[in-house]
Amino acid sequence: MQISILTAISALLLSCPQGAMATSTMADSAATQEVSVNELATQVARFTGTTNPLDPTQEKILDDYVRAMTTDLGSDDPQLVMKAREELIEALSGFGTTEVFRQAFGKTFLRNAGPILEEGSTFSRMNAYRVMGVICTTESNEALADQLKSSGSLTVADRVFAANMLTMALKKTPPTQYRSNMRGYLSIVTSILNSARKEQNWVALQRQFECLANIASDARIGTENQENELRSRAIQAQAMVLEGALNQIESGDGVELAKAVPSMILMLRSEYIKLDRLRKQKFSTTVAPKLVMVLETGEKAWDKLQAEEQNRTIYGNAVFQAAVLTRLVRGSGSTPTSNPDEAWRAGQKDAYGNEVSAWSAAKNP
C-alpha cells in the first residue's frame, strides 16, 4: 500500500519528541488564547456597573475584548459569528449595567465593527445589527439608521433587519438620551425619511415607517419644546413617506408598495389614539390630506391596482382604513357619509370616482 509523502512526514513528526512538542505547543497556544479572551470578559464584567468614566486601563481591557469578539463576528464560520454575538450581548445585559458603560461599549463596538458594517458578509452584518439593537445609544441608533439606505452592498434583508433592530433599540433607549442629544434624534428621523422615500421594497418600507411610528408615539418623550418637536417631526416624516409611496404607486413604478399602505395607516391610527388633544390637532392638519390621497391614488392608478386580485384586495383595505381614520381625525360631520371601499371592491370605477370627488372636497377644510 502506498502512503503519500505528506502523510509519512506527518506521522514521522508526531512520532518524535519534537513533533509531539510542536503539537502540544499549538494546543497550548489555542488554550491560552481562549483563556485570554475569557479573562478579558471576566475583567470587563467587573466594571459594567461603573458610574465614573472608564480609566485608561479599563478602556484598554474593553477595547481588547470587543476587538477580539468583532474579529469573530466577521468570521466565515457561522457558529463563531453567533457565539461572538451572544457574548457581546451578554456583556451588555447584566444586572446593573450603567449608561456610562453602555456609552463606552457602544463607541468601542462601532469603531471595531466598522469594516463589518461597510463590507462584511450579510450574515456578519445581521449579527452586528443584533448587537447594536441592544447597545441603545444615540451613536449606535444613528449607525442603524445609516444601514437603511438602499445603496452600495446593502441588501433588502439588511434594510429590513436594521429597521427591526432600530425599532427595538428606540423602545429601550433611555429618554434622557433624547434630551441630551436631541440633534442626533432629529437627524435619525431625517435619515429614516430620506431612506424610506427611496425605498422600492414594500417590507423594508413598512419597517422603516414603523421606526418613525415608534418615535412619534413614544409616551416617554415629554411635552418640552424640543421633545414635542421630535414627535411632530416624526409625524411629518410619516406623512411624507406615505405621500412618496402613493406617488410611486400612481406612476406605476412602485405598485408593490401598495402592500405596505394598509399597515402604515393602521400605525397612524394607533398613534392618533394615544395623542393628547393639542397633538391630535397637529396630527389632523399634517396627516388627513395624505389619507385622502390614498383614495385619490386608487382612482389615478385604478387599472394597475385592480389588475391583480391580491393588490385589489390589499388596496381596498387601504381605502377602507383611510376613510375610517379621516373620519376619526376630522370628525364625522366634516367628511362624506359614504364608504368608497364598497365601489372599489365592486370594481365600479365611475362610482368610485364620484366618491373620491366628494372626499377630495373635504381634503383641506
Side-chain angles (χ1 to χ4, degrees):
M1 180 175 64
Q2 293 183 340
I3 301 176
S4 72
I5 295 176
L6 287 176
T7 302
I9 292 173
S10 298
L12 181 61
L13 287 173
L14 289 173
S15 67
C16 68
Q18 291 89 346
M21 186 179 296
T23 304
S24 176
T25 301
M26 291 174 62
D28 289 345
S29 176
T32 300
Q33 185 177 5
E34 183 67 24
V35 169
S36 177
V37 173
N38 289 339
E39 177 59 27
L40 284 171
T42 300
Q43 292 180 32
V44 168
R46 290 172 185 157
F47 55 84
T48 58
T50 183
T51 55
N52 298 316
L54 271 58
D55 61 38
T57 300
Q58 292 171 329
E59 288 180 349
K60 177 67 166 56
I61 292 169
L62 181 61
D63 186 66
D64 287 347
Y65 175 69
V66 172
R67 185 169 63 252
M69 288 297 96
T70 51
T71 297
D72 288 351
L73 199 63
S75 168
D76 293 330
D77 182 346
Q79 295 300 322
L80 199 58
V81 171
M82 291 188 290
K83 183 175 184 292
R85 178 200 69 197
E86 291 307 311
E87 292 195 14
L88 286 164
I89 290 174
E90 184 178 353
L92 286 162
S93 305
F95 178 75
T97 302
T98 63
E99 190 64 22
V100 171
F101 175 79
R102 194 175 293 278
Q103 291 286 345
F105 185 100
K107 289 177 182 178
T108 304
F109 178 80
L110 292 176
R111 183 172 63 249
N112 284 283
I116 295 175
L117 298 178
E118 293 173 7
E119 53 190 26
S121 69
T122 300
F123 186 70
S124 289
R125 288 200 303 270
M126 297 294 173
N127 283 277
Y129 300 156
R130 183 68 183 84
V131 177
M132 292 158 69
V134 179
I135 293 174
C136 301
T137 64
T138 303
E139 291 78 9
S140 63
N141 291 342
E142 286 178 318
L144 280 169
D146 285 341
Q147 300 301 110
L148 303 180
K149 299 173 183 175
S150 52
S151 60
S153 61
L154 299 179
T155 64
V156 172
D158 278 285
R159 303 197 298 275
V160 170
F161 198 68
N164 287 345
M165 291 301 100
L166 179 55
T167 297
M168 183 180 83
L170 289 170
K171 290 178 180 178
K172 296 180 179 179
T173 298
T176 52
Q177 285 198 42
Y178 292 116
R179 301 181 185 113
S180 63
N181 197 346
M182 184 57 63
R183 181 177 296 180
Y185 284 92
L186 289 171
S187 175
I188 286 173
V189 169
T190 301
S191 293
I192 299 170
L193 170 62
N194 291 339
S195 299
R197 295 194 75 181
K198 297 176 183 177
E199 185 56 65
Q200 297 293 312
N201 180 272
W202 73 271
V203 178
L205 175 65
Q206 184 175 304
R207 296 293 186 268
Q208 291 168 33
F209 194 89
E210 188 175 358
C211 291
L212 293 170
N214 187 79
I215 296 173
S217 61
D218 193 340
R220 302 174 306 160
I221 303 176
T223 57
E224 290 82 357
N225 289 339
Q226 280 193 321
E227 294 180 60
N228 192 48
E229 179 188 358
L230 177 61
R231 293 183 68 176
S232 296
R233 191 81 67 86
I235 292 172
Q236 291 169 2
Q238 286 178 285
M240 294 173 71
V241 170
L242 177 57
E243 180 180 14
L246 294 172
N247 287 336
Q248 288 193 66
I249 293 168
E250 182 184 336
S251 71
D253 295 332
V255 175
E256 283 293 298
L257 297 181
K259 295 177 181 177
V261 176
S263 62
M264 291 160 73
I265 298 173
L266 286 174
M267 280 185 255
L268 288 169
R269 183 179 180 183
S270 293
E271 289 170 43
Y272 180 78
I273 293 172
K274 298 174 184 177
L275 296 176
D276 57 43
R277 187 172 65 177
L278 178 60
R279 284 182 173 145
K280 282 182 176 178
Q281 292 173 346
K282 293 181 179 179
F283 180 99
S284 177
T285 301
T286 303
V287 175
K290 313 306 178 188
L291 295 172
V292 176
M293 275 189 67
V294 174
L295 310 186
E296 295 171 337
T297 299
E299 181 181 20
K300 294 172 183 176
W302 177 276
D303 292 338
K304 302 182 187 74
L305 291 169
Q306 289 272 344
E308 295 184 10
E309 182 178 356
Q310 184 183 39
N311 285 339
R312 182 166 65 250
T313 300
I314 288 172
Y315 206 78
N317 293 335
V319 169
F320 172 76
Q321 296 294 346
V324 168
L325 185 52
T326 303
R327 285 197 181 101
L328 182 62
V329 303
R330 291 292 198 204
S332 57
S334 301
T335 57
T337 58
S338 59
N339 298 316
D341 63 294
E342 294 179 357
W344 174 271
R345 297 181 195 282
Q348 299 171 345
K349 186 174 182 179
D350 291 340
Y352 183 78
N354 292 334
E355 297 280 6
V356 171
S357 296
W359 281 82
S360 295
K363 185 175 183 178
N364 293 298

